């Protein structure tokens, strides 16, 4: 009986240790990013609406002013307003499911951080036009986020190396936050089911430059490491000019 008791104790201790390791690993793993696309796959987005910028940016600015209470409210309002400002051209694609639809995005007691990544100057790219609307968004989107209580960083017209440094810095910052938000604006594509944000010095119309002169949205999403929710708002196009 004593031997059985000892074996039971060891089994319980081992199970407890395993559960503790699992809990610790869970605590160290941030929630997967919730991605909000301005438009659908294979579609372009607009650089300028009646307000002077991307309709998705116009929608974000308007929705943040309305102070949405929950994640569910935020997505619904963002989608409807994006469609309205784009006159139906941009139909947002929202996350399929939310970990907690009632999570309060307006909770000022939470630490919320944001990173705005925008490329507007494509004068160094071959065959790619610059985006005055995106340049305007680089001013108004950060202001709207700051006004809503987000600690906000802005990266405008950076090359791939500088943008990746900014993402690494934001990853460290967001680890200590309850929520993170990354806004992505500028030229973008969706090539072979992978969505990319294009740098302002894209050499030529060829997919071979994607690894060095573009950053995948999957890589960008890894920079959101907040404890509760991590949002990625992608305002760029999802067409494929390299499709053959």
């Amino acid at each position: 009986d004593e031997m059985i008791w000892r074996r039971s104790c060891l089994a319980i201790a081992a199970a407890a240790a395993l559960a503790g390791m699992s809990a610790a690993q869970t605590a160290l793993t941030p929630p997967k990013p919730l991605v909000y696309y301005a438009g659908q796959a294979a579609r372009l987005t607009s650089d300028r609406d009646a307000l002077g910028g991307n309709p998705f940016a116009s929608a974000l600015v308007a929705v943040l002013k309305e102070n949405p209470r929950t994640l569910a409210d935020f997505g619904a309002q963002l989608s409807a307003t994006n469609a309205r400002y784009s006159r139906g051209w941009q139909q947002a694609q929202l996350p399929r499911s939310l970990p907690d639809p009632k999570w309060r995005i307006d909770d000022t007691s939470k630490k919320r951080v944001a990173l705005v990544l925008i490329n507007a100057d494509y004068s160094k790219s071959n065959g790619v036009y610059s985006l005055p609307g995106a340049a305007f968004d680089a001013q108004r989107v950060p202001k709207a986020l700051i006004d809503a209580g987000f600690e906000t960083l802005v990266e405008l017209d950076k090359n791939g190396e500088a943008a990746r440094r900014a993402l690494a810095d934001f990853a460290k910052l967001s680890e200590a936050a309850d929520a993170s938000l990354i806004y992505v604006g500028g030229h973008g594509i969706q090539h072979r089911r992978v969505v990319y944000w294009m740098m302002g010095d894209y050499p030529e119309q060829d997919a071979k430059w994607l690894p060095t002169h573009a950053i995948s949205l999957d890589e960008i999403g890894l920079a959101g490491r907040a404890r509760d929710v991590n949002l990625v708002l992608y305002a760029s196009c999802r067409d494929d000019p390299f499709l053959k």
Side-chain angles (χ1 to χ4, degrees), residues 60-62 64-65 139-150:
L60 178 61
V61 171
L64 288 174
K65 287 181 180 178
Q139 302 175 33
R140 62 176 179 159
V141 169
K143 183 180 183 305
L145 288 165
I146 291 170
D147 290 346
F150 285 79

Side-chain angles (χ1 to χ4, degrees), residues 7-212:
R7 287 178 178 175
S8 298
C9 289
L10 289 172
I12 293 171
L18 184 62
M21 289 177 60
S22 178
Q25 289 173 347
T26 300
L28 292 173
T29 304
K32 291 182 179 179
L34 302 172
V35 182
Y36 298 74
Y37 296 96
Q40 297 173 314
R43 294 291 301 271
L44 298 170
T45 57
S46 173
D47 181 50
R48 281 185 286 184
D49 60 12
L51 298 178
N54 189 301
F56 196 59
S58 298
L60 178 61
V61 171
V63 168
L64 288 174
K65 287 181 180 178
E66 294 173 6
N67 202 24
R69 294 185 175 184
T70 67
L71 277 181
D73 292 336
F74 175 77
Q77 293 175 22
L78 187 66
S79 177
T81 312
N82 174 57
R84 185 170 73 250
Y85 281 128
S86 66
R87 297 184 178 181
W89 172 255
Q90 293 180 189
Q91 297 295 325
Q93 182 177 332
L94 307 180
R96 292 183 178 180
S97 63
L98 301 174
D100 182 2
K102 295 183 179 180
W103 193 89
R104 294 287 296 267
I105 196 171
D106 66 338
D107 190 346
T108 56
S109 70
K110 302 286 188 180
K111 181 175 176 61
R112 298 165 297 157
V113 297
L115 173 64
V116 178
L117 295 172
I118 291 180
N119 283 328
D121 182 4
Y122 285 86
S123 59
K124 295 180 181 179
S125 295
N126 185 15
V128 181
Y129 54 87
S130 293
L131 301 169
F136 176 54
D137 294 338
Q139 302 175 33
R140 62 176 179 159
V141 169
K143 183 180 183 305
L145 288 165
I146 291 170
D147 290 346
F150 285 79
E151 180 181 339
T152 305
L153 305 176
V154 184
E155 296 293 332
L156 174 63
D157 292 327
K158 302 296 184 181
N159 60 24
E161 182 180 355
R164 285 189 166 93
R165 282 200 303 267
L167 286 168
D169 291 341
F170 185 73
K172 294 178 182 177
L173 176 67
S174 65
E175 285 179 350
D178 298 294
S180 77
L181 184 153
I182 303 175
Y183 176 92
V184 182
H187 279 298
I189 68 168
Q190 182 168 321
H191 181 66
R192 294 179 178 174
R193 298 186 179 181
V194 179
V195 177
Y196 294 91
W197 175 53
M198 297 177 67
M199 301 298 101
D201 58 352
Y202 204 88
E204 60 180 319
Q205 293 292 310
D206 196 306
K208 70 180 181 180
W209 299 107
L210 287 172
T212 55

